Amino acid sequence: MSEKKRVKKEVFISEDEEIVIIKKKKPSSWKRILGRCVLSVVLTIASLIVLAPFLLQLYGDFILTKMLFQTWSRYYPWIDLTKPSAFSLNGVNVYEQTEPNVTVGLWYIVPSDIEVDHSLSTLGDHLKRYVTSVDQPIIMYLHGQDGTRATHYRANHYRMMTAFGNHIVALDYRGYGDSTGTPSVQGVVHDVLHLFKSIRKACPQNPITIWGHSMGTGVASWTMHYLFQNITNYKKPSGLVLEAPFYNTLQGLVSYPLTRILKINPYFMQAALDALTTVKLDFPNNEIVASLPLPTVIIHAEDDAVIPYFHIELIQDYVKQHRDQSLPQVRFVVVPRSAACGHNHIYSYPKFQDIIKLIEMDESDLEPKVDVERSHQRSKSSSLSIKIGLFLGGVYIFASILIPVVLLTYPSITKHLVFQNKVKTRTNLTHPEHFNLDRVYNFHLNVESQVSIGIWHFRSPLIEDQIYDDDEDYFRKHLISNIPVVIYFHGSGANRALMHRRELCQRLRNELNYDVIAFDYRGFADSTGESTENDLVKDAKFIYDWLQNLNNHQRKIYLWGHALGSAVASQLAAELSQHDNKNLAGIVLEAPFLNVHQALLTHWISLFFRWQPWYYSLTEKALHKNKLYFETRHHLLNLNCPCVLIHADDDFIIPYIHSKQLLQIGMNARNDNKQKKKFFHFTIDMISYHRSNYGHRLIYQAPKLISTLKTILFEGNFSTQDI
């Protein structure tokens, strides 16, 4: 058999010079195109995850506004919004000018048995023609964040509601569809208020229900709030329906589908929360619903993937705690998973007619049973998925080789993982009022000759504001009192101005009437110096002693530490306990960890590498070389004050197991102290949050957080009689 020599990929020449051409099968063009598209999508998503925090810092206002008001999505120029009949709807298209430069397009849709006169020009003319009795119900429909009034499932929704005899008015907010103007919270609410007044002028006595869906629930809530607070010369609406509502803007952002992907980057949520404070996108649905004096129906589907079902549970809990019993009832309807209605198709629910009439129905008829449906779908393997798997596997293998090399060569990198102070923001901390904070004072203390610490003082409501000349004069007039004070120790990144930090400090100040001190460790934000474990504790001790000296050691002081701050706070508390400091009133450890090495091992990123034999020893050696220990479990054994642990079981940064183990360690220490007759004031309790979606940073939103702490740690609301 002759030997063949390869010349080209497809040409072989034998020894007798016979040319043999072998045709190599090429992958089909559509497979190549599909593979490239998928690879492009994967790379785009990966890039977006990495760049998201930086983009939010630079363009947070623009990005969040576009995420909420998606005027750019689902509007196709070839759709004629002036013809509702093209969508099998019996109605007319009209326009209303809500401001000099703003005109909104809307549909007025009536039952199919009414003959529509297209010669009428205004909404008022049509209402006067077709609304023949004062009992005729009118529904104002406010759609969600994307698309237009002509989106297919919305057209189906209108058709279903008019089938039951309702008249529907559906508008596109400014900037949506063929409406002019630029959307904003205040602007879209103004459009709805203008439309309500137009309807009420034509139909002064008819029952009007405002029906909001998704983002429209926020618009509907604000509209109702303004109607009841500021407008007295019109008859109020008869009811409010919120379909797939979100708890508030922050919870809506946290659970948004895109956010769930971007949260893979641990810096994303910090940047998002920081950006949210600079843009006016406030939809406090929970607070407004709890105070509205009219019948309200809230509907949510269990299989809603856009605004998850737990939002209705959060609203329900808030309403139970804060709504006056004398107000009309808020009714909650759960659409079972088996109905497969999702986020947009509740109109297809068999009991939809009952939902429309819920305001008049008995509560016993309102609650459909929950039908839990479980389905398991197996995806078929393909050559494309194998290629993607091989690509991701290659990236993983490369990282597995690179990380140990980096840890051996540059062990100081672990210091930057623990102290994420290199992540700087352009936030100006000298003006707390820029963060919508009132009665907060910014100042600096010199811990050492080259170290200055930036601090915020949240003034107690019991302290009267006075004119002052300088920092010393401010301290003398506003900080010298016997009002208890809470010192807040924040986590490993950014600064004291992050949303969850300042919101917690405000709650402590407002609900306890305490003073609150929040500061940035040296090397963080506007504080100077180099961060080390010993120096962070030194800063904390300096602030504690400074407060004590201001008040001649007569003031109760509580410590509150979050994540890394819990380790700093516990170390300070242990040191003070050794000297029998009687003014240390208690310590709260929010999302604490056993020690910094265990925190690193259980971080969600470490889950991919910690099984490898090099990971444990190399990370431990790197931390020890940088003298980073933060042994919270050790300091817990030396406390002589009440201690409370707080943790959520959906915390993926510092898992819930850390607090469970610390609780057991603390209980054992308490029993040991009793036998040895020492540390008589040490007690330990734990507040757990299960399936609450509070994660690592949002526990401050828990409605009963402060009231629970009053019963086990704080001495209750301080009053002017105690001063």
Side-chain angles (χ1 to χ4, degrees), residues 247-248 250-251 254-255 263 269 273 286 310-311 313-315 317-318 321 500 507 562 590-591 646-654 687-705:
Y247 182 73
N248 56 27
L250 177 59
Q251 280 289 352
V254 170
S255 57
K263 281 196 297 186
M269 282 310 302
L273 294 175
N286 59 314
F310 71 82
H311 281 262
E313 295 178 324
L314 293 177
I315 295 174
D317 291 341
Y318 190 90
Q321 295 177 36
H500 66 280
R507 282 198 67 182
H562 174 243
E590 179 187 357
I646 306 176
H647 222 127
D649 65 354
D650 57 348
D651 188 335
F652 298 109
I653 305 297
I654 300 175
I687 303 174
S688 301
Y689 292 97
H690 302 283
R691 298 182 298 278
S692 58
N693 204 45
Y694 292 144
H696 184 64
R697 299 181 180 91
L698 302 180
I699 287 179
Y700 76 90
Q701 292 186 342
K704 296 182 180 180
L705 174 63

Side-chain angles (χ1 to χ4, degrees), residues 122-141:
T122 68
L123 176 63
D125 293 336
H126 285 283
L127 288 167
K128 291 176 182 177
R129 171 71 63 87
Y130 308 128
V131 179
T132 56
S133 70
V134 295
D135 297 328
Q136 183 66 57
I138 301 173
I139 296 178
M140 291 178 60
Y141 183 83

Side-chain angles (χ1 to χ4, degrees), residues 232-274:
T232 58
N233 55 339
Y234 292 97
K235 182 179 179 180
K236 299 300 188 292
S238 61
L240 172 67
V241 178
L242 303 180
E243 178 187 353
F246 51 93
Y247 182 73
N248 56 27
T249 305
L250 177 59
Q251 280 289 352
L253 173 65
V254 170
S255 57
Y256 192 67
L258 179 60
T259 305
R260 295 175 216 165
I261 299 173
L262 297 179
K263 281 196 297 186
I264 294 175
N265 187 330
Y267 300 106
F268 171 77
M269 282 310 302
Q270 291 186 5
L273 294 175
D274 198 25

Side-chain angles (χ1 to χ4, degrees), residues 18 26 142 263 376 424 439 484 491 554 674 697:
E18 180 182 359
K26 295 182 179 180
L142 310 181
K263 281 196 297 186
H376 300 277
K424 301 289 186 180
R439 308 187 79 247
Q554 298 300 314
K674 287 182 179 180
R697 299 181 180 91

